[in-house]
Amino acid sequence: MDKLVNTVRPYAWGSVTALPELLGQEPTGEPQAELWMGAHPGDPSRADRGDGPRRLDELIAADPERELGAASVARFGPTLPFLLKVLAPGIPISIQAHPSLDQARAGYAAENARGIPLDAPHRNYRDANHKPELICALGDFDGLCGFRRPAGAAALLAGLRVPALEPLIALLGAGDEAEALSRALAAALDLDGPAAGAAVRDTAEAVDKAAAEDPDGPYAPYTRITRDFPGDRGLIAGLLLNHVRLRAGQALYLGAGVPHAYLHGVCVELQANSDNVLRAGLTPKHIDVPELLEVVEFAACSPAPLLPVPVDGTPGEELYPVPIDEFRLSRFALDGRDREVDGRAPQILLCTAGTARLTAADGTALDLARGESAFLPATGTTTRLTGTGATVFRATVTL
C-alpha cells in the first residue's frame, strides 16, 4: 500500500475553499480546481517506498505486472487505465465534450504530424485515449448534461422573448433531431461581431429577469453563467443542454460525445486515463468549434442520477454501474465493522469523510484521513478496511 501525494490543479474555475476544506488545509486565496490521483503523465501521484517520493507512472512502468497484475496488463496495457479526481468548480466549467477512442487516436496522430507540442495551448488531443467519465456528488452538485429535445430547447429559448434567438428556434424546428441540434449548436457557436454581442447580452438580461421572477424555474441555473461569463456565447449553447442537480451520493455517467458543463459543487470523478477536451465556451482556453462539432454526439437525452447498488459477495460495498471496464467506482460507508477489499486488480482508495484504516495481509497498516488516498497494487491479497463514520471511494477496473 502506498499513501499518495497528489497534485491540485489551480484552474481559474476552481473554488477557493472547497479543496482546502477537504484536505484540511488553509486556503491560499487562489482557485483550486482538481485533485488528481493516478498515473497520468500530466500530473502523476507520488509514492514513497523508502527511497523518497517517486512518480506513480514511473513505478508502474518499472514493473507493470507487479503493480497492475497480469490480468489488467493483458486487458488494458501496461498503464493504469483510469484517473481519479475530486472536482470543485466555484464557477462554471467550460461547455465541453470528449472524443471516442477512434477519434482520440486519429486526432492525436494528426496533431503530432503537424508538430504541435503536447503542452501547446491550442492543442486539442494531449493523448490517444478516450475520456468517458463518472461523477459522484459529495453534496449538492449542479451541471448541464446532454441535449434537450429540440422542441424543449426551442420552448426554453422562446420563453425568453429575445428576437435574436428566433433563427435558432427555427433551426430547432427543422429536420430530424440530429440535424436540428447540430445546426442550432453550430449557429450558437458561430455568433460573432457586434450583433452577436447584443444577442448574448439580451439573452443574459432575459435569463436574469426570468430567474428573478421564478428562482426555482428552468432559467435559474443559467444565472451562474450570466454572472461569471458575461458576454460569452456559451450561454446560448448551454440553453440547449439539460440541467441536472445531483444530491450527495448520486452519480452521472457521460460517454464519448456528450456535451456537458459542471456549474457548482464538489464531486468525485473517475475517468479513463486521458486529458482530451474539446471546448465550446465558458472558458479562456482554446476553443476549436469545427473539431468540437466532429466529436459531439447529436442526440437528445434525459439524464437521470445514478444510484449505487450493493455488491454481491462484498458486504458494505456499493457500486455505481457503468458500461465500461476501464474504470469501476464503488464506495464504503464504514460503520465500525471490518470490510474486505479484493486485491486482484490495481486500485486507489480515497477517503472523503472521517478516518479509515487499511490493513494489508502482512499486517501493515495505513490510516487515511479525509482527502487522503492510497494506491493498492494488484497483489492478489485482501486488504481489510475499518473505520467508523468514514466514507471511502474505491476506484479500480473490471476484469
mmCIF file of all heavy atoms in Angstrom, residues 1-43:
data_model
loop_
_atom_site.group_PDB
_atom_site.id
_atom_site.type_symbol
_atom_site.label_atom_id
_atom_site.label_comp_id
_atom_site.label_asym_id
_atom_site.label_seq_id
_atom_site.Cartn_x
_atom_site.Cartn_y
_atom_site.Cartn_z
ATOM 1 N N MET A 1 0.847 -1.198 0.000
ATOM 2 C CA MET A 1 0.000 0.000 0.000
ATOM 3 C C MET A 1 0.879 1.242 0.000
ATOM 4 O O MET A 1 1.901 1.283 0.684
ATOM 5 C CB MET A 1 -0.886 0.046 1.245
ATOM 6 C CG MET A 1 -1.862 -1.104 1.371
ATOM 7 S SD MET A 1 -2.868 -0.936 2.849
ATOM 8 C CE MET A 1 -1.634 -1.172 4.132
ATOM 9 N N ASP A 2 0.469 2.219 -0.767
ATOM 10 C CA ASP A 2 1.217 3.470 -0.839
ATOM 11 C C ASP A 2 0.287 4.642 -0.585
ATOM 12 O O ASP A 2 -0.684 4.836 -1.335
ATOM 13 C CB ASP A 2 1.836 3.654 -2.235
ATOM 14 C CG ASP A 2 2.797 2.547 -2.610
ATOM 15 O OD1 ASP A 2 3.858 2.463 -1.987
ATOM 16 O OD2 ASP A 2 2.470 1.771 -3.537
ATOM 17 N N LYS A 3 0.561 5.418 0.467
ATOM 18 C CA LYS A 3 -0.173 6.671 0.605
ATOM 19 C C LYS A 3 0.319 7.622 -0.480
ATOM 20 O O LYS A 3 1.522 7.758 -0.704
ATOM 21 C CB LYS A 3 0.026 7.290 1.986
ATOM 22 C CG LYS A 3 -0.789 8.559 2.189
ATOM 23 C CD LYS A 3 -0.670 9.106 3.592
ATOM 24 C CE LYS A 3 -1.498 8.310 4.566
ATOM 25 N NZ LYS A 3 -1.596 8.971 5.901
ATOM 26 N N LEU A 4 -0.622 8.269 -1.159
ATOM 27 C CA LEU A 4 -0.288 9.089 -2.311
ATOM 28 C C LEU A 4 -0.128 10.562 -1.953
ATOM 29 O O LEU A 4 -0.859 11.096 -1.112
ATOM 30 C CB LEU A 4 -1.376 8.949 -3.385
ATOM 31 C CG LEU A 4 -1.548 7.555 -3.988
ATOM 32 C CD1 LEU A 4 -2.703 7.544 -4.979
ATOM 33 C CD2 LEU A 4 -0.259 7.078 -4.660
ATOM 34 N N VAL A 5 0.828 11.176 -2.601
ATOM 35 C CA VAL A 5 0.957 12.631 -2.592
ATOM 36 C C VAL A 5 0.434 13.108 -3.945
ATOM 37 O O VAL A 5 0.957 12.703 -4.996
ATOM 38 C CB VAL A 5 2.419 13.070 -2.389
ATOM 39 C CG1 VAL A 5 2.532 14.590 -2.463
ATOM 40 C CG2 VAL A 5 2.956 12.556 -1.064
ATOM 41 N N ASN A 6 -0.596 13.940 -3.922
ATOM 42 C CA ASN A 6 -1.315 14.280 -5.146
ATOM 43 C C ASN A 6 -1.202 15.766 -5.475
ATOM 44 O O ASN A 6 -0.951 16.596 -4.598
ATOM 45 C CB ASN A 6 -2.790 13.898 -4.999
ATOM 46 C CG ASN A 6 -2.970 12.430 -4.658
ATOM 47 O OD1 ASN A 6 -2.468 11.565 -5.362
ATOM 48 N ND2 ASN A 6 -3.671 12.149 -3.560
ATOM 49 N N THR A 7 -1.440 16.073 -6.727
ATOM 50 C CA THR A 7 -1.347 17.453 -7.218
ATOM 51 C C THR A 7 -2.731 18.072 -7.329
ATOM 52 O O THR A 7 -3.676 17.422 -7.781
ATOM 53 C CB THR A 7 -0.665 17.474 -8.600
ATOM 54 O OG1 THR A 7 0.668 16.987 -8.472
ATOM 55 C CG2 THR A 7 -0.633 18.890 -9.173
ATOM 56 N N VAL A 8 -2.834 19.323 -6.918
ATOM 57 C CA VAL A 8 -4.045 20.123 -7.131
ATOM 58 C C VAL A 8 -3.807 21.039 -8.315
ATOM 59 O O VAL A 8 -2.825 21.787 -8.338
ATOM 60 C CB VAL A 8 -4.400 20.950 -5.879
ATOM 61 C CG1 VAL A 8 -5.556 21.897 -6.182
ATOM 62 C CG2 VAL A 8 -4.761 20.029 -4.710
ATOM 63 N N ARG A 9 -4.680 20.965 -9.281
ATOM 64 C CA ARG A 9 -4.577 21.854 -10.447
ATOM 65 C C ARG A 9 -5.358 23.144 -10.189
ATOM 66 O O ARG A 9 -6.550 23.105 -9.887
ATOM 67 C CB ARG A 9 -5.089 21.152 -11.704
ATOM 68 C CG ARG A 9 -4.152 20.043 -12.170
ATOM 69 C CD ARG A 9 -4.336 19.736 -13.633
ATOM 70 N NE ARG A 9 -3.181 19.049 -14.183
ATOM 71 C CZ ARG A 9 -3.013 18.786 -15.470
ATOM 72 N NH1 ARG A 9 -3.936 19.160 -16.355
ATOM 73 N NH2 ARG A 9 -1.924 18.174 -15.897
ATOM 74 N N PRO A 10 -4.700 24.296 -10.350
ATOM 75 C CA PRO A 10 -5.318 25.578 -9.975
ATOM 76 C C PRO A 10 -6.014 26.283 -11.129
ATOM 77 O O PRO A 10 -5.757 27.458 -11.405
ATOM 78 C CB PRO A 10 -4.106 26.384 -9.502
ATOM 79 C CG PRO A 10 -2.989 25.908 -10.381
ATOM 80 C CD PRO A 10 -3.265 24.446 -10.658
ATOM 81 N N TYR A 11 -6.908 25.592 -11.832
ATOM 82 C CA TYR A 11 -7.626 26.232 -12.926
ATOM 83 C C TYR A 11 -8.461 27.398 -12.394
ATOM 84 O O TYR A 11 -8.923 27.385 -11.244
ATOM 85 C CB TYR A 11 -8.545 25.246 -13.634
ATOM 86 C CG TYR A 11 -7.839 24.058 -14.257
ATOM 87 C CD1 TYR A 11 -8.359 22.776 -14.123
ATOM 88 C CD2 TYR A 11 -6.666 24.213 -14.982
ATOM 89 C CE1 TYR A 11 -7.735 21.678 -14.697
ATOM 90 C CE2 TYR A 11 -6.034 23.123 -15.566
ATOM 91 C CZ TYR A 11 -6.570 21.859 -15.417
ATOM 92 O OH TYR A 11 -5.945 20.772 -15.980
ATOM 93 N N ALA A 12 -8.714 28.360 -13.264
ATOM 94 C CA ALA A 12 -9.411 29.584 -12.833
ATOM 95 C C ALA A 12 -10.826 29.318 -12.356
ATOM 96 O O ALA A 12 -11.377 30.106 -11.580
ATOM 97 C CB ALA A 12 -9.428 30.587 -13.992
ATOM 98 N N TRP A 13 -11.441 28.210 -12.797
ATOM 99 C CA TRP A 13 -12.822 27.941 -12.393
ATOM 100 C C TRP A 13 -12.923 27.288 -11.015
ATOM 101 O O TRP A 13 -14.015 27.054 -10.502
ATOM 102 C CB TRP A 13 -13.534 27.076 -13.430
ATOM 103 C CG TRP A 13 -12.827 25.823 -13.865
ATOM 104 C CD1 TRP A 13 -12.113 25.643 -15.008
ATOM 105 C CD2 TRP A 13 -12.790 24.560 -13.179
ATOM 106 N NE1 TRP A 13 -11.624 24.362 -15.079
ATOM 107 C CE2 TRP A 13 -12.029 23.673 -13.971
ATOM 108 C CE3 TRP A 13 -13.328 24.097 -11.979
ATOM 109 C CZ2 TRP A 13 -11.775 22.353 -13.607
ATOM 110 C CZ3 TRP A 13 -13.086 22.789 -11.603
ATOM 111 C CH2 TRP A 13 -12.317 21.934 -12.400
ATOM 112 N N GLY A 14 -11.818 26.972 -10.392
ATOM 113 C CA GLY A 14 -11.849 26.252 -9.137
ATOM 114 C C GLY A 14 -12.352 27.077 -7.962
ATOM 115 O O GLY A 14 -12.194 28.298 -7.913
ATOM 116 N N SER A 15 -12.937 26.402 -7.000
ATOM 117 C CA SER A 15 -13.334 27.036 -5.746
ATOM 118 C C SER A 15 -12.087 27.411 -4.955
ATOM 119 O O SER A 15 -11.082 26.698 -4.975
ATOM 120 C CB SER A 15 -14.208 26.075 -4.932
ATOM 121 O OG SER A 15 -14.351 26.519 -3.604
ATOM 122 N N VAL A 16 -12.164 28.498 -4.231
ATOM 123 C CA VAL A 16 -11.038 28.927 -3.391
ATOM 124 C C VAL A 16 -10.988 28.115 -2.097
ATOM 125 O O VAL A 16 -9.926 27.936 -1.507
ATOM 126 C CB VAL A 16 -11.150 30.438 -3.087
ATOM 127 C CG1 VAL A 16 -10.086 30.886 -2.093
ATOM 128 C CG2 VAL A 16 -11.018 31.238 -4.385
ATOM 129 N N THR A 17 -12.131 27.573 -1.662
ATOM 130 C CA THR A 17 -12.205 26.961 -0.335
ATOM 131 C C THR A 17 -12.487 25.463 -0.312
ATOM 132 O O THR A 17 -12.124 24.781 0.653
ATOM 133 C CB THR A 17 -13.301 27.654 0.497
ATOM 134 O OG1 THR A 17 -14.555 27.528 -0.188
ATOM 135 C CG2 THR A 17 -12.975 29.127 0.697
ATOM 136 N N ALA A 18 -13.138 24.902 -1.336
ATOM 137 C CA ALA A 18 -13.660 23.535 -1.245
ATOM 138 C C ALA A 18 -12.560 22.486 -1.097
ATOM 139 O O ALA A 18 -12.625 21.619 -0.211
ATOM 140 C CB ALA A 18 -14.533 23.226 -2.456
ATOM 141 N N LEU A 19 -11.540 22.506 -1.953
ATOM 142 C CA LEU A 19 -10.480 21.510 -1.844
ATOM 143 C C LEU A 19 -9.625 21.704 -0.594
ATOM 144 O O LEU A 19 -9.270 20.716 0.065
ATOM 145 C CB LEU A 19 -9.623 21.490 -3.110
ATOM 146 C CG LEU A 19 -10.255 20.799 -4.319
ATOM 147 C CD1 LEU A 19 -9.314 20.808 -5.514
ATOM 148 C CD2 LEU A 19 -10.663 19.372 -3.984
ATOM 149 N N PRO A 20 -9.268 22.946 -0.223
ATOM 150 C CA PRO A 20 -8.571 23.094 1.055
ATOM 151 C C PRO A 20 -9.362 22.535 2.231
ATOM 152 O O PRO A 20 -8.792 21.920 3.144
ATOM 153 C CB PRO A 20 -8.389 24.616 1.176
ATOM 154 C CG PRO A 20 -8.318 25.081 -0.234
ATOM 155 C CD PRO A 20 -9.292 24.214 -0.976
ATOM 156 N N GLU A 21 -10.676 22.712 2.225
ATOM 157 C CA GLU A 21 -11.502 22.159 3.301
ATOM 158 C C GLU A 21 -11.431 20.634 3.297
ATOM 159 O O GLU A 21 -11.292 20.003 4.356
ATOM 160 C CB GLU A 21 -12.949 22.612 3.140
ATOM 161 C CG GLU A 21 -13.877 22.102 4.235
ATOM 162 C CD GLU A 21 -15.315 22.531 4.040
ATOM 163 O OE1 GLU A 21 -15.576 23.355 3.140
ATOM 164 O OE2 GLU A 21 -16.181 22.033 4.778
ATOM 165 N N LEU A 22 -11.524 20.017 2.133
ATOM 166 C CA LEU A 22 -11.442 18.560 2.032
ATOM 167 C C LEU A 22 -10.092 18.062 2.533
ATOM 168 O O LEU A 22 -10.007 17.032 3.216
ATOM 169 C CB LEU A 22 -11.658 18.118 0.587
ATOM 170 C CG LEU A 22 -11.493 16.622 0.303
ATOM 171 C CD1 LEU A 22 -12.647 15.830 0.919
ATOM 172 C CD2 LEU A 22 -11.410 16.361 -1.197
ATOM 173 N N LEU A 23 -9.027 18.781 2.198
ATOM 174 C CA LEU A 23 -7.675 18.346 2.509
ATOM 175 C C LEU A 23 -7.195 18.810 3.878
ATOM 176 O O LEU A 23 -6.076 18.487 4.280
ATOM 177 C CB LEU A 23 -6.710 18.860 1.429
ATOM 178 C CG LEU A 23 -6.978 18.343 0.009
ATOM 179 C CD1 LEU A 23 -6.116 19.087 -1.003
ATOM 180 C CD2 LEU A 23 -6.742 16.840 -0.082
ATOM 181 N N GLY A 24 -8.024 19.583 4.589
ATOM 182 C CA GLY A 24 -7.625 20.073 5.903
ATOM 183 C C GLY A 24 -6.514 21.098 5.845
ATOM 184 O O GLY A 24 -5.652 21.149 6.725
ATOM 185 N N GLN A 25 -6.539 21.935 4.812
ATOM 186 C CA GLN A 25 -5.506 22.948 4.618
ATOM 187 C C GLN A 25 -6.108 24.341 4.641
ATOM 188 O O GLN A 25 -7.308 24.521 4.437
ATOM 189 C CB GLN A 25 -4.801 22.720 3.272
ATOM 190 C CG GLN A 25 -4.132 21.360 3.138
ATOM 191 C CD GLN A 25 -3.615 21.091 1.740
ATOM 192 O OE1 GLN A 25 -3.877 21.865 0.799
ATOM 193 N NE2 GLN A 25 -2.889 20.004 1.578
ATOM 194 N N GLU A 26 -5.260 25.326 4.886
ATOM 195 C CA GLU A 26 -5.705 26.704 4.812
ATOM 196 C C GLU A 26 -5.815 27.136 3.352
ATOM 197 O O GLU A 26 -4.929 26.823 2.544
ATOM 198 C CB GLU A 26 -4.721 27.629 5.540
ATOM 199 C CG GLU A 26 -4.774 27.522 7.053
ATOM 200 C CD GLU A 26 -6.106 27.984 7.609
ATOM 201 O OE1 GLU A 26 -6.645 28.994 7.109
ATOM 202 O OE2 GLU A 26 -6.618 27.319 8.527
ATOM 203 N N PRO A 27 -6.875 27.829 2.973
ATOM 204 C CA PRO A 27 -6.974 28.333 1.597
ATOM 205 C C PRO A 27 -5.819 29.279 1.284
ATOM 206 O O PRO A 27 -5.348 30.019 2.157
ATOM 207 C CB PRO A 27 -8.315 29.069 1.579
ATOM 208 C CG PRO A 27 -9.094 28.483 2.713
ATOM 209 C CD PRO A 27 -8.081 28.139 3.766
ATOM 210 N N THR A 28 -5.372 29.234 0.051
ATOM 211 C CA THR A 28 -4.292 30.128 -0.380
ATOM 212 C C THR A 28 -4.823 31.444 -0.927
ATOM 213 O O THR A 28 -4.053 32.367 -1.172
ATOM 214 C CB THR A 28 -3.457 29.449 -1.479
ATOM 215 O OG1 THR A 28 -4.297 29.238 -2.637
ATOM 216 C CG2 THR A 28 -2.906 28.117 -0.999
ATOM 217 N N GLY A 29 -6.139 31.502 -1.139
ATOM 218 C CA GLY A 29 -6.721 32.664 -1.795
ATOM 219 C C GLY A 29 -6.799 32.512 -3.293
ATOM 220 O O GLY A 29 -7.418 33.334 -3.979
ATOM 221 N N GLU A 30 -6.194 31.440 -3.820
ATOM 222 C CA GLU A 30 -6.217 31.170 -5.253
ATOM 223 C C GLU A 30 -7.184 30.022 -5.552
ATOM 224 O O GLU A 30 -7.404 29.153 -4.703
ATOM 225 C CB GLU A 30 -4.817 30.800 -5.748
ATOM 226 C CG GLU A 30 -3.786 31.894 -5.560
ATOM 227 C CD GLU A 30 -4.112 33.139 -6.362
ATOM 228 O OE1 GLU A 30 -4.613 33.002 -7.495
ATOM 229 O OE2 GLU A 30 -3.869 34.249 -5.847
ATOM 230 N N PRO A 31 -7.758 29.990 -6.756
ATOM 231 C CA PRO A 31 -8.657 28.875 -7.108
ATOM 232 C C PRO A 31 -7.930 27.540 -7.087
ATOM 233 O O PRO A 31 -6.776 27.436 -7.522
ATOM 234 C CB PRO A 31 -9.111 29.232 -8.532
ATOM 235 C CG PRO A 31 -8.866 30.694 -8.676
ATOM 236 C CD PRO A 31 -7.662 30.999 -7.834
ATOM 237 N N GLN A 32 -8.607 26.520 -6.562
ATOM 238 C CA GLN A 32 -8.084 25.160 -6.572
ATOM 239 C C GLN A 32 -9.186 24.272 -7.162
ATOM 240 O O GLN A 32 -10.244 24.113 -6.556
ATOM 241 C CB GLN A 32 -7.686 24.712 -5.171
ATOM 242 C CG GLN A 32 -6.555 25.579 -4.606
ATOM 243 C CD GLN A 32 -5.987 25.017 -3.319
ATOM 244 O OE1 GLN A 32 -5.904 23.811 -3.134
ATOM 245 N NE2 GLN A 32 -5.589 25.903 -2.425
ATOM 246 N N ALA A 33 -8.913 23.711 -8.335
ATOM 247 C CA ALA A 33 -9.985 23.132 -9.157
ATOM 248 C C ALA A 33 -10.060 21.620 -9.107
ATOM 249 O O ALA A 33 -11.141 21.056 -8.925
ATOM 250 C CB ALA A 33 -9.806 23.584 -10.607
ATOM 251 N N GLU A 34 -8.937 20.923 -9.306
ATOM 252 C CA GLU A 34 -8.953 19.468 -9.452
ATOM 253 C C GLU A 34 -7.835 18.841 -8.631
ATOM 254 O O GLU A 34 -6.675 19.258 -8.723
ATOM 255 C CB GLU A 34 -8.760 19.060 -10.922
ATOM 256 C CG GLU A 34 -9.870 19.519 -11.851
ATOM 257 C CD GLU A 34 -9.676 19.000 -13.270
ATOM 258 O OE1 GLU A 34 -8.601 18.416 -13.569
ATOM 259 O OE2 GLU A 34 -10.592 19.180 -14.084
ATOM 260 N N LEU A 35 -8.167 17.821 -7.876
ATOM 261 C CA LEU A 35 -7.192 16.982 -7.187
ATOM 262 C C LEU A 35 -7.025 15.715 -8.019
ATOM 263 O O LEU A 35 -7.984 14.964 -8.201
ATOM 264 C CB LEU A 35 -7.678 16.645 -5.780
ATOM 265 C CG LEU A 35 -6.814 15.700 -4.948
ATOM 266 C CD1 LEU A 35 -5.506 16.374 -4.564
ATOM 267 C CD2 LEU A 35 -7.569 15.235 -3.707
ATOM 268 N N TRP A 36 -5.811 15.473 -8.529
ATOM 269 C CA TRP A 36 -5.554 14.327 -9.406
ATOM 270 C C TRP A 36 -4.940 13.185 -8.611
ATOM 271 O O TRP A 36 -3.978 13.382 -7.858
ATOM 272 C CB TRP A 36 -4.588 14.717 -10.528
ATOM 273 C CG TRP A 36 -5.218 15.461 -11.657
ATOM 274 C CD1 TRP A 36 -6.244 16.354 -11.592
ATOM 275 C CD2 TRP A 36 -4.849 15.395 -13.039
ATOM 276 N NE1 TRP A 36 -6.542 16.835 -12.841
ATOM 277 C CE2 TRP A 36 -5.695 16.275 -13.746
ATOM 278 C CE3 TRP A 36 -3.884 14.685 -13.737
ATOM 279 C CZ2 TRP A 36 -5.606 16.452 -15.130
ATOM 280 C CZ3 TRP A 36 -3.779 14.863 -15.112
ATOM 281 C CH2 TRP A 36 -4.643 15.733 -15.800
ATOM 282 N N MET A 37 -5.469 11.974 -8.831
ATOM 283 C CA MET A 37 -4.944 10.761 -8.199
ATOM 284 C C MET A 37 -4.811 9.683 -9.264
ATOM 285 O O MET A 37 -5.812 9.200 -9.792
ATOM 286 C CB MET A 37 -5.892 10.292 -7.086
ATOM 287 C CG MET A 37 -5.962 11.244 -5.887
ATOM 288 S SD MET A 37 -7.484 11.058 -4.922
ATOM 289 C CE MET A 37 -8.644 11.943 -5.972
ATOM 290 N N GLY A 38 -3.580 9.340 -9.578
ATOM 291 C CA GLY A 38 -3.375 8.335 -10.607
ATOM 292 C C GLY A 38 -2.000 8.445 -11.217
ATOM 293 O O GLY A 38 -1.059 8.973 -10.618
ATOM 294 N N ALA A 39 -1.889 7.937 -12.454
ATOM 295 C CA ALA A 39 -0.590 7.855 -13.114
ATOM 296 C C ALA A 39 -0.593 8.542 -14.476
ATOM 297 O O ALA A 39 0.212 8.189 -15.342
ATOM 298 C CB ALA A 39 -0.188 6.386 -13.267
ATOM 299 N N HIS A 40 -1.496 9.508 -14.667
ATOM 300 C CA HIS A 40 -1.452 10.268 -15.915
ATOM 301 C C HIS A 40 -0.161 11.087 -15.925
ATOM 302 O O HIS A 40 0.158 11.769 -14.933
ATOM 303 C CB HIS A 40 -2.665 11.182 -16.040
ATOM 304 C CG HIS A 40 -2.799 11.787 -17.405
ATOM 305 N ND1 HIS A 40 -2.020 12.843 -17.844
ATOM 306 C CD2 HIS A 40 -3.615 11.475 -18.459
ATOM 307 C CE1 HIS A 40 -2.350 13.157 -19.082
ATOM 308 N NE2 HIS A 40 -3.310 12.337 -19.479
ATOM 309 N N PRO A 41 0.610 11.054 -17.024
ATOM 310 C CA PRO A 41 1.899 11.760 -17.039
ATOM 311 C C PRO A 41 1.784 13.265 -16.861
ATOM 312 O O PRO A 41 2.774 13.925 -16.519
ATOM 313 C CB PRO A 41 2.487 11.403 -18.413
ATOM 314 C CG PRO A 41 1.322 10.959 -19.235
ATOM 315 C CD PRO A 41 0.352 10.326 -18.290
ATOM 316 N N GLY A 42 0.578 13.819 -17.070
ATOM 317 C CA GLY A 42 0.422 15.260 -16.889
ATOM 318 C C GLY A 42 0.617 15.701 -15.455
ATOM 319 O O GLY A 42 1.168 16.774 -15.197
ATOM 320 N N ASP A 43 0.172 14.898 -14.501
ATOM 321 C CA ASP A 43 0.334 15.199 -13.075
ATOM 322 C C ASP A 43 0.185 13.909 -12.271
ATOM 323 O O ASP A 43 -0.802 13.700 -11.570
ATOM 324 C CB ASP A 43 -0.703 16.230 -12.598
ATOM 325 C CG ASP A 43 -0.138 17.639 -12.533
ATOM 326 O OD1 ASP A 43 1.043 17.778 -12.158
ATOM 327 O OD2 ASP A 43 -0.855 18.584 -12.890
#
